[in-house]
Amino acid sequence: MPQKKNSEDLRAELQSLADTLEEVLNNSGDKSKAELEKLRSKAEKTLKDARVTLNDASDKLIDQTKEFAGHADNYVRENPWTGVGIGAAVGIVLGVLLSRR
């Protein structure tokens, strides 16, 4: 559930950034210098917020990947032949998929 919230936050930040940039591009010709500065500041803030959200999501994804890799490593160490079988099955599936191209 936290992963879904993070992706929704990131999607909202990126949508806000896109909307702000679209507003800047569409209205830059008929805006005063003060209004353009205001839009520019808004775009910079939105970009900064999106970067923070993206970095947070990236850090969480890295942590989850490390945790998953640790669990997989432990499983393979405890069940080596099962690990070999799974690896062989994945190799066969990838071989079949790649040979079809």
Side-chain angles (χ1 to χ4, degrees), residues 87-101:
V90 168
I92 290 170
V93 170
L94 287 175
V96 169
L97 291 175
L98 292 174
S99 68
R100 289 186 179 185
R101 290 185 167 216

Side-chain angles (χ1 to χ4, degrees), residues 16-85:
S16 177
L17 176 61
D19 293 344
T20 302
L21 292 176
E22 184 176 12
E23 183 181 354
V24 168
L25 293 173
N26 289 337
N27 298 320
S28 62
D30 57 341
K31 295 281 186 185
S32 69
K33 187 170 181 170
E35 290 173 320
L36 287 175
E37 273 301 312
K38 185 178 177 183
L39 284 173
R40 183 174 180 265
S41 294
K42 181 180 175 184
E44 286 176 344
K45 182 190 179 314
T46 305
L47 179 60
K48 182 180 176 185
D49 292 346
R51 282 183 176 159
V52 168
T53 303
L54 185 59
N55 284 337
D56 290 346
S58 175
D59 291 343
K60 289 179 182 175
L61 181 61
I62 289 169
D63 291 342
Q64 289 174 347
T65 302
K66 287 179 182 178
E67 183 179 344
F68 179 73
H71 290 304
D73 184 55
N74 289 338
Y75 179 81
V76 170
R77 288 179 190 273
E78 293 171 5
N79 305 295
W81 287 110
T82 303
V84 169

